[in-house]
Amino acid sequence: MSEALKGLKEQYLRCVRCGQCRSVCPVFEVVRNETATPRGKVFLAHLLATGELEATSQVQAQLSRCLLCRSCSKECPSAIPVHQIVTAARAELAEKTPSPTKRLVFKKIWARPRRLALAARLTRTIQALGLDRLGLSLRMLPPGFALPGRLPRRPAHTTIPAINPAIGETRLRVGYFLGCSTNFMFPGVAASTVAVLSRLGCEVVIPPELKCCGLPQLASGEAAAASALASANSEVFRLLKVQTVVSDCASCTVALKETPEFAGIKVTELSELLLELVTKYSPGFRQIQKPVTYHYPCHLSKAQGITEAPRDLLLLTCRDFREMDSATDCCGSGGTFALYHYQTSMAILDKKIAAIKKSGAEIVATSCPTCIMQLRHGLARHGYKIDVVHSVELLEKSFEHETLL
Ligand code: SF4
Ligand code: SF4
């Protein structure tokens, strides 16, 4: 049995099967099957740990039905870290019943920056030739492949310098962790992050040697690969001697904050840092005029317990901010969950899309690239013309004095 699963024994034995977690699990709400409940997953992990259940592909399939959204861990009266138990059980399963495809994707490609860049280039070529659309229409590709949309021609790391000076007086030296999704799918978000931080007096350093944060590897059971990535990234930041590290991806931020390899390195959530700087230095900006709502990513609200800073920033920069219903509910993305469980993911997403529509907002802001991808996909499926942006892009717009949304 893996050390991680063994180490959590005390935790899963504390489950009193009260069922409180069932009411908050977005997957159970759709699937309505006891094995899909958080306590069902804890029980499966327990049986796996005691050897009463064999590590099989069926068990793997059951435990893959988790977004790692942490709603259950937050709700559990016994404070059981269900997401950690599921992650440890996945590591055990990956060890005992390895999937060559997952290993290839998460360990051999995603964990190696050059190969990942090559894979992104290949994806762009496939998209340019229309082969992805053909594959989707002939059902040779799973429907989740439509989610990332068209990849931009140039990733952020090829256009943004490694060192970006502060505009005016340098108040802070910040290390920017440029995550894979922002880099390859949303280079405009990276540009806005750098522009806003520079404008607020930060020198922004983007180390070119950075690798993936390790979260996709951890979620897919490749714990050793995740740890190696965290070690390599932490070494880079230690040598840089920056005052703090930030990322515009809520998931990368959690990965950096929680990994033991980052002990001693200060990681600040981006909206908290921006709010602090905006409050302290009161830069001039004009308010966004269109109605705006905000989707709280699970890795921001549940994993980091942060809700006030992103909302307060929007209240400052938007004339008409509207909180949507159940704004902290999961959007159903869960990293790669939507790829494996597309229908379940879309059923979870539909609820979020209905809340956005009901809010009357014309712009949805959020703080996680995979949430942006998921929300855009959901809005397009329903034919709603509502923009989805990262909140740092809105802040940058409000700093501009001519073109306002
Ligand atoms: S809420 Fe916690 S204690 Fe109750 S069933 Fe779920 S995991 Fe077990
Ligand atoms: S982490 Fe989220 S999806 Fe997974 S069991 Fe808990 S509530 Fe359900």
Side-chain angles (χ1 to χ4, degrees):
M1 194 210 310
S2 75
E3 284 305 311
L5 197 54
K6 220 190 304 176
L8 288 163
K9 190 175 168 199
E10 291 309 314
Q11 305 279 9
Y12 49 72
L13 286 180
R14 284 192 294 113
C15 174
V16 292
R17 307 190 55 74
C18 65
Q20 213 160 304
C21 51
R22 275 173 42 137
S23 61
V24 294
C25 176
V27 175
F28 174 70
E29 197 181 342
V30 172
V31 175
R32 292 274 149 199
N33 179 317
E34 179 59 26
T35 53
T37 62
R39 72 176 178 191
K41 287 162 197 156
V42 169
F43 190 53
L44 283 180
H46 167 63
L47 294 180
L48 200 62
T50 57
E52 290 170 71
L53 191 68
E54 251 182 80
T56 62
S57 51
Q58 283 88 346
V59 181
Q60 203 160 36
Q62 299 288 6
L63 286 169
S64 75
R65 291 194 300 184
C66 175
L67 293 146
L68 300 176
C69 69
R70 309 194 190 192
S71 305
C72 51
S73 309
K74 198 166 164 269
E75 189 70 18
C76 174
S78 305
I80 294 173
V82 181
H83 63 286
Q84 278 180 18
I85 292 173
V86 171
T87 307
R90 285 183 184 174
E92 176 81 0
L93 286 156
E95 178 94 23
K96 299 257 171 73
T97 55
S99 151
T101 315
K102 278 191 187 172
R103 194 146 279 185
L104 174 74
V105 172
F106 292 105
K107 199 172 168 183
K108 305 278 183 213
I109 299 176
W110 207 327
R112 303 189 186 195
R114 281 209 189 125
R115 292 183 188 177
L116 187 61
L118 201 65
R121 268 213 299 278
L122 188 65
T123 307
R124 276 197 299 279
T125 308
I126 288 171
Q127 289 179 337
L129 296 171
L131 296 177
D132 57 328
R133 286 197 299 279
L134 185 68
L136 285 164
S137 64
L138 295 175
R139 296 178 186 232
M140 288 163 72
L141 288 174
F145 267 77
L147 271 155
R150 192 149 278 244
L151 293 194
R153 214 165 58 82
R154 305 202 56 186
H157 77 265
T158 63
T159 56
I160 305 176
I163 298 185
N164 303 271
I167 295 175
E169 180 200 344
T170 304
R171 295 162 177 149
L172 207 61
R173 188 159 191 259
V174 172
Y176 171 31
F177 185 89
L178 175 60
C180 311
S181 306
T182 305
N183 187 22
F184 292 108
M185 294 195 295
F186 302 107
V189 171
S192 294
T193 301
V194 172
V196 165
L197 285 170
S198 305
R199 168 81 194 259
L200 289 168
C202 301
E203 182 192 15
V204 187
V205 186
I206 314 174
E209 319 86 305
L210 284 182
K211 299 175 180 201
C212 174
C213 68
L215 202 63
Q217 289 72 19
L218 200 62
S220 65
E222 300 293 344
S227 169
L229 289 166
S231 274
N233 289 331
S234 61
E235 266 321 293
V236 171
F237 283 120
R238 252 182 257 285
L239 290 172
L240 274 182
K241 296 192 174 24
V242 288
Q243 284 157 288
T244 191
V245 175
V246 293
S247 171
D248 45 36
C249 171
S251 301
C252 292
T253 308
V254 168
L256 304 185
K257 275 186 176 179
E258 293 186 346
T259 185
E261 287 80 358
F262 265 71
I265 300 174
K266 187 176 175 200
V267 179
T268 314
E269 197 283 315
L270 182 63
S271 62
E272 290 196 325
L273 178 65
L274 294 176
L275 184 64
E276 186 191 320
L277 294 171
V278 164
T279 313
K280 211 162 162 182
Y281 300 111
S282 318
F285 54 79
R286 290 214 322 229
Q287 287 190 310
I288 305 288
Q289 298 298 306
K290 286 186 179 177
V292 174
T293 191
Y294 184 77
H295 161 68
Y296 297 83
C298 296
H299 282 162
L300 184 75
S301 58
K302 287 146 207 155
Q304 299 179 69
I306 295 172
T307 49
E308 281 178 19
R311 190 183 47 232
D312 289 353
L313 261 184
L314 290 173
L315 283 169
L316 276 174
T317 52
C318 303
R319 190 185 58 81
D320 184 3
F321 174 70
R322 305 173 179 195
E323 191 88 272
M324 71 171 95
D325 291 345
S326 309
T328 56
D329 277 9
C330 181
C331 66
S333 170
T336 52
F337 177 90
L339 271 183
Y340 305 124
H341 303 286
Y342 183 76
Q343 300 305 343
T344 307
S345 172
M346 292 303 113
I348 297 166
L349 177 60
D350 281 349
K351 217 177 127 199
K352 177 65 63 177
I353 298 301
I356 293 170
K357 183 71 183 157
K358 191 175 156 216
S359 75
E362 291 177 41
I363 299 171
V364 191
T366 188
S367 313
C368 173
T370 46
C371 294
I372 296 178
M373 176 181 84
Q374 177 88 342
L375 296 176
R376 283 185 181 168
H377 184 74
L379 289 164
R381 259 165 56 95
H382 286 268
Y384 297 151
K385 294 209 179 323
I386 299 173
D387 282 343
V388 186
V389 297
H390 194 291
S391 39
V392 79
E393 293 178 290
L394 282 187
L395 189 55
E396 190 193 10
K397 281 269 172 233
S398 70
F399 281 162
E400 291 169 8
H401 286 262
E402 283 140 39
T403 343
L404 276 182
L405 292 165

